[in-house]
Amino acid sequence: MATCAAASQAVWSYKGKQQWKLVLLPVFLILVHLIPVNPVREDGLNPKSRKRIMPDLLTEPPAIDPVYEAQVYCNVPSIAERSMEGHAPHYFKLVSVQVLIRHGDRYPLYAIPKTKRPDIDCMLVPSRKPSHPQLEAFIKHMSKGSAAQMDGSLSSLPHFPSHSLCEMGELTQTGVVQHLRNGQLLREIYINKHKLLPSDWTAKQLYLETTGKSRTLQSALALLYTFLPDFDWKKINMRHQWSTIFCSGSCDCPMRNHYLEEEQRRQYSLRVKNSNLEKVYVDMAKIVGIPTRQLRASNPIDSLLCYFCHNVSFPCTKAGCIGMEHFKVIKRHQLEDERERQEKKLYFLYALLATHPLLNQTVNRLQRIAEGKKEEMFVLYSAHDVTLSPVLSALGITEARFPRFAARLVFELWQDGKRPKEHFIRILYNGADVTFQTSFCKDHYKRSSKPMCPLEKLVNFVKRDMFLIFNSTSYYDACHRRAL
Ligand SMILES: *[C@@H]1O[C@H](CO)[C@@H](O)[C@H](O)[C@H]1NC(C)=O
Ligand SMILES: *[C@@H]1O[C@H](CO)[C@@H](O)[C@H](O)[C@H]1NC(C)=O
Ligand SMILES: *[C@@H]1O[C@H](CO)[C@@H](O)[C@H](O)[C@H]1NC(C)=O
């Protein structure tokens, strides 16, 4: 979750050191169906209702398995995954799909000082695992891409990773394979089954946008390659987004900065309260031979996750080795931080303001398509954890985990074949249907026979209701009004 840092850096760079707090204490969301947050006890009371009776029971957090959570985060390609994308009654027609991805597995953004960097090869080698049947063809196709239209600085970025020792932040072969798999899965559902695009699709039917990092551009190209095999480079128009929250021309929002600072204060105070974590930092700093402060600032969890995801043993020095026990304590803290973040709501307020411009753009596009416009039916935003995480939070999908490598969030727009004026949306996160976890569709679920959410619910949320909590009716007003 150093990506937190990296990405925040782009938005918050003027804040200097502030951003580190976000980096060091990244945040994880817990999926209820895997790790019960409120398990029902044998006495029939869940921990929440017990809270009022015996508050001290709550100091013991429900079990968190940091190693399991780290494996989920790595998302190492293995068996084919099941997904709920494209499920609808037969008389519904799919008219648009908008996808927001996090880049795939990458090399760390920061090195742990005075240790050898993990030895990971960023050359693409189809015979090396993890691989993909289309990897070789992908490399060939990427080498031919000079006809693509790429905004500004994107045109100077390489189309695929190619260093025998990865550069900092570089996409790895694992990361490429993750998105080749995403693209293939989406192709099978949206192109082969639902015919979202005709075989002679045109540039206007796509909208593609990426941040200016090679890992996001390359992730987008890998997904596109299997989604639209051997695509014509002349039809690819890749836009560049300078902001990691995709706020484009609407980035001025003082209250968003305010809530983020408050959230960072919350993270900081949780960290300093955690004496186990402090001990681990002191211990690791001794091993490495640097001041604790410097170790903490090097954001070691980001590097350690890279060792972990690539099954490389943690680094050693003459003074000892960094070990699994260190890793588990830091990872567990991340998960606890994520849990507290959910409860305290500061991040939620930040997220509403941070994601409005992107959601507004998405909703405008969905409305145009619902009105019959046949453009930008497939949209791909290639982004970071700091892009996806606030979108999940703003939509109210609080049960979702923190975005893993190559995470995908999909908005599907469906037309009711029996009442062609009526349009519905589905929202999917890593293949799971989360439509009815959203704040604006929770109640609809109880009343509706259709497994979908009316488009107006999302429109009303984005255009109006997401500002109610700020006692405002517009983005501009919410951004500039001081909290009482
Ligand atoms: C990880 O590495 C160890 C030895 O370094 C090996 O025994 C083990 O099988 C590897 N695990 C995976 C999943 O590759
Ligand atoms: C939201 O979309 C509308 C178009 O419907 C546009 O006029 C407005 O500027 C957008 N607001 C923001 C903050 O992006
Ligand atoms: C909105 O107004 C209510 C009541 O006037 C107040 O309690 C609350 O703090 C306000 N919220 C914000 C974000 O200003």
Side-chain angles (χ1 to χ4, degrees):
M1 280 80 4
T3 357
C4 274
S8 318
Q9 207 162 6
V11 185
W12 304 104
S13 52
Y14 65 92
K15 283 184 187 302
K17 279 266 146 78
Q18 278 264 14
Q19 64 196 311
W20 284 109
K21 291 175 191 166
L22 204 68
V23 179
L24 292 170
L25 303 159
V27 261
F28 276 69
L29 304 154
I30 312 292
L31 262 187
V32 156
H33 67 265
L34 289 172
I35 299 182
V37 174
N38 294 322
V40 175
R41 306 265 174 99
E42 276 170 47
D43 56 12
L45 294 172
N46 74 27
K48 257 200 182 133
S49 48
R50 273 193 177 215
K51 184 178 186 177
R52 274 158 250 136
I53 310 162
M54 300 159 89
D56 50 344
L57 270 184
L58 211 77
T59 56
E60 216 176 319
I64 290 177
D65 180 347
V67 171
Y68 174 75
E69 292 297 323
Q71 279 162 349
V72 172
Y73 176 80
C74 298
N75 189 20
V76 172
S78 56
I79 47 160
E81 61 176 314
R82 291 193 310 147
S83 95
M84 293 295 289
E85 276 121 344
H87 285 219
H90 66 91
Y91 57 92
F92 275 74
K93 182 175 164 28
L94 181 70
V95 289
S96 178
V97 170
Q98 321 241 340
V99 184
L100 176 58
I101 54 170
R102 184 188 177 200
H103 59 76
D105 178 78
R106 56 144 174 77
Y107 201 68
L109 301 169
Y110 313 94
I112 302 178
K114 303 204 176 166
T115 56
K116 193 169 150 286
R117 294 211 272 135
D119 183 13
I120 291 165
D121 184 347
C122 275
M123 300 293 294
L124 299 182
V125 181
S127 60
R128 193 180 65 220
K129 283 184 182 174
S131 189
H132 188 279
Q134 260 98 277
L135 181 58
E136 192 161 358
F138 166 77
I139 301 167
K140 265 205 199 101
H141 198 65
M142 287 304 111
S143 322
K144 294 185 292 202
S146 56
Q149 298 173 55
M150 301 248 183
D151 262 9
S153 57
L154 295 180
S155 56
S156 62
L157 295 176
H159 293 164
F160 58 90
S162 62
H163 291 91
S164 54
L165 175 59
C166 302
E167 304 202 313
M168 303 311 278
E170 188 170 21
L171 193 68
T172 66
Q173 175 158 325
T174 304
V176 170
V177 169
Q178 285 165 338
H179 278 300
L180 290 172
R181 289 166 61 105
N182 273 339
Q184 183 171 23
L185 182 140
L186 298 182
R187 172 175 183 79
E188 278 158 20
I189 298 167
Y190 295 136
I191 305 287
N192 298 354
K193 183 163 172 221
H194 290 291
K195 317 276 183 251
L196 177 67
L197 298 174
S199 52
D200 57 347
W201 55 273
T202 63
K204 280 192 168 157
Q205 291 170 326
L206 308 187
Y207 182 89
L208 312 172
E209 189 166 326
T210 178
T211 63
K213 302 289 182 198
S214 64
R215 61 181 173 279
T216 44
L217 174 65
Q218 293 166 4
S219 293
L221 291 173
L223 188 150
L224 277 179
Y225 182 71
T226 40
F227 186 65
L228 301 166
D230 284 316
F231 57 71
D232 181 350
W233 278 103
K234 289 198 285 296
K235 297 192 208 167
I236 299 299
N237 180 0
M238 189 69 76
R239 276 118 169 143
H240 173 228
Q241 174 61 242
W242 67 271
S243 151
T244 53
I245 53 171
F246 285 62
C247 55
S248 307
S250 309
C251 295
D252 174 34
C253 186
M255 286 308 289
R256 181 193 65 217
N257 301 4
H258 166 78
Y259 289 119
L260 187 61
E261 282 163 28
E262 297 273 301
E263 161 64 12
Q264 289 168 338
R265 268 192 270 282
R266 179 202 63 73
Q267 288 194 319
Y268 179 77
S269 72
L270 185 71
R271 193 194 79 204
V272 296
K273 272 192 290 200
N274 188 336
S275 54
N276 281 344
L277 183 70
E278 279 309 301
K279 265 187 241 149
V280 162
Y281 280 139
V282 169
D283 198 40
M284 282 172 57
K286 260 189 218 141
I287 291 171
V288 177
I290 55 172
T292 309
R293 207 178 229 290
Q294 193 190 341
L295 178 88
R296 208 187 282 117
S298 75
N299 190 23
I301 188 62
D302 182 54
S303 289
L304 296 182
L305 275 165
C306 177
Y307 289 92
F308 179 88
C309 293
H310 289 265
N311 198 25
V312 175
S313 47
F314 295 126
C316 293
T317 67
K318 283 184 198 120
C321 289
I322 295 176
M324 199 52 136
E325 291 313 309
H326 298 118
F327 176 73
K328 281 191 203 163
V329 170
I330 305 180
K331 185 73 196 166
R332 183 184 298 276
H333 176 77
Q334 284 193 322
L335 295 159
E336 286 166 3
D337 179 59
E338 180 71 8
R339 191 173 291 183
E340 191 190 73
R341 190 176 81 164
Q342 291 292 333
E343 288 159 10
K344 292 280 165 79
K345 294 284 177 219
L346 288 166
Y347 187 80
F348 174 62
L349 297 174
Y350 158 76
L352 288 170
L353 297 177
T355 62
H356 175 74
L358 176 59
L359 291 174
N360 189 43
Q361 193 183 50
T362 300
V363 156
N364 290 341
R365 189 181 290 115
L366 294 176
Q367 282 185 302
R368 284 197 299 270
I369 293 168
E371 284 159 13
K373 200 162 181 204
K374 297 259 185 290
E375 286 182 7
E376 302 180 354
M377 282 108 82
F378 180 77
V379 174
L380 180 63
Y381 293 109
S382 187
H384 303 268
D385 58 356
V386 287
T387 324
L388 267 82
S389 183
V391 172
L392 293 167
S393 176
L395 296 176
I397 309 171
T398 53
E399 290 165 24
R401 276 195 169 81
F402 189 84
R404 65 188 188 186
F405 287 130
R408 61 178 194 274
L409 182 68
V410 177
F411 294 79
E412 297 176 351
L413 181 66
W414 295 85
Q415 182 180 36
D416 184 341
K418 293 180 179 165
R419 294 192 187 85
K421 286 235 150 66
E422 293 194 8
H423 288 80
F424 294 82
I425 54 157
R426 295 178 75 234
I427 301 177
L428 300 111
Y429 182 48
N430 298 330
D433 186 347
V434 295
T435 314
F436 298 108
Q437 291 177 24
T438 60
S439 57
F440 50 89
C441 251
K442 267 198 181 94
D443 299 333
H444 183 74
Y445 186 53
K446 294 172 203 140
R447 286 184 270 114
S448 166
S449 54
K450 293 194 191 78
M452 298 191 194
C453 182
L455 174 60
E456 307 85 70
K457 295 258 176 199
L458 175 65
V459 173
N460 291 341
F461 172 71
V462 171
K463 297 282 176 187
R464 189 187 65 203
D465 298 344
M466 69 191 293
F467 307 115
L468 292 180
I469 196 167
F470 304 104
N471 298 328
S472 288
T473 53
S474 76
Y475 177 68
Y476 183 85
D477 188 54
C479 281
H480 292 87
R481 173 182 296 222
R482 261 342 274 180
L484 297 172

